[in-house]
Amino acid sequence: MDKSALLVIDYSNDFVADQGALTCGAAGQALDGQIVRRVEEALRQEQFIFVCNDEHQANDCYNPEAALFPPHNLRGSWGAELYGRTGELLRGLIKSGRALYLPKSRYSAFFATPLDAMLRERKVERLTVAGVCTDICVLHTVIDAVYRHYQVAVAEDCCATCMPHGQEWAIAHMRGCLGVEII
Ligand code: ZN
C-alpha cells in the first residue's frame, strides 16, 4: 500500500441532504461525484481510506457542540448515514474492509479517536482531506494533522460548508496559515 491516506469527513445526510439538520445543501450535494472520483483514485493508487464521521449521543449536554448546533448525526439515525453515491461506495468499501470507518464526537477526526495510531501503524505520511464542513470539521482535522507532522493536502473541489463565507476563508487560512497544499 501507498503511504498516503484519504480522509473523508462527515459526508452524511445531516450535513449534505436537503432535510439534513446542518446541511450544506446544494454546495454539499455537488461534491458527491467529485468525492466518488477521489475515492476511486485513492483505490487505484492503493491509498488507505478513512471515513471519519460525526456520531453524537442524543441530549449529550457534555459535548460543547450541543450548545452551538442543533442535534445532528445522532448515532444510528438517518442523519448519520453517509450521503449519496459517495455513501454507497464507502459503505461497500467499509464492509469489505477496504475503507476504515471511525466515529468521532468533535470537529477533529483526531480527537479521542484511534486515527493517529492507525495512520502511524500503516506508516502513513501524507493525507488528502475531503468532505464537510470546510471551515469546521475539515479545518480542525487539518490543524491536528499538521501539528502531528503529516503532509496535508485539501481537495478543494471535494469540500463545502453550511457557513456563509466559510469556504473561501477556510481554504485561504489552510493555505496561508497552515501551509497546506490545496489541490
Ligand atoms: Zn458534530
Side-chain angles (χ1 to χ4, degrees), residues 7 9-10 15 52 54 63-65 68-69 104-113 115-116 119 127 129-150 152 154 159-161 163 166 169-171 173-175 178 180:
L7 309 185
I9 308 290
D10 281 346
F15 284 109
C52 307
D54 251 12
N63 187 310
E65 283 185 30
L68 299 169
F69 296 107
K104 63 186 185 68
S105 67
R106 298 293 198 278
Y107 303 152
S108 171
F110 286 91
F111 183 85
T113 75
L115 178 60
D116 189 46
L119 291 170
L127 305 178
V129 185
V132 297
C133 294
T134 319
D135 52 339
I136 309 176
C137 292
V138 169
L139 172 65
H140 285 256
T141 298
V142 165
I143 291 170
D144 275 355
V146 167
Y147 287 171
R148 286 165 174 77
H149 303 287
Y150 292 100
V152 183
V154 171
C159 293
T161 181
M163 308 293 269
W169 175 84
I171 293 292
H173 182 78
M174 289 189 282
R175 181 190 279 126
L178 295 168
V180 165

Side-chain angles (χ1 to χ4, degrees), residues 18-94:
D18 282 336
Q19 296 83 11
L22 213 48
T23 188
C24 300
Q29 292 155 22
L31 310 176
D32 197 11
Q34 280 131 231
I35 298 179
V36 165
R37 280 193 288 281
R38 184 68 63 178
V39 171
E40 288 170 345
E41 179 67 15
L43 289 169
R44 272 195 296 277
Q45 295 186 4
E46 299 200 320
Q47 296 177 358
F48 295 97
I49 300 168
F50 287 83
V51 181
C52 307
N53 197 36
D54 251 12
E55 281 195 13
H56 292 299
Q57 311 261 24
N59 306 312
D60 180 6
C61 63
Y62 299 104
N63 187 310
E65 283 185 30
L68 299 169
F69 296 107
H72 60 277
N73 274 42
L74 298 180
R75 184 170 301 156
S77 71
W78 169 85
E81 285 174 21
L82 299 168
Y83 175 87
R85 286 172 53 216
T86 296
E88 267 175 54
L89 174 60
L90 292 177
R91 273 190 293 277
L93 295 173
I94 292 162

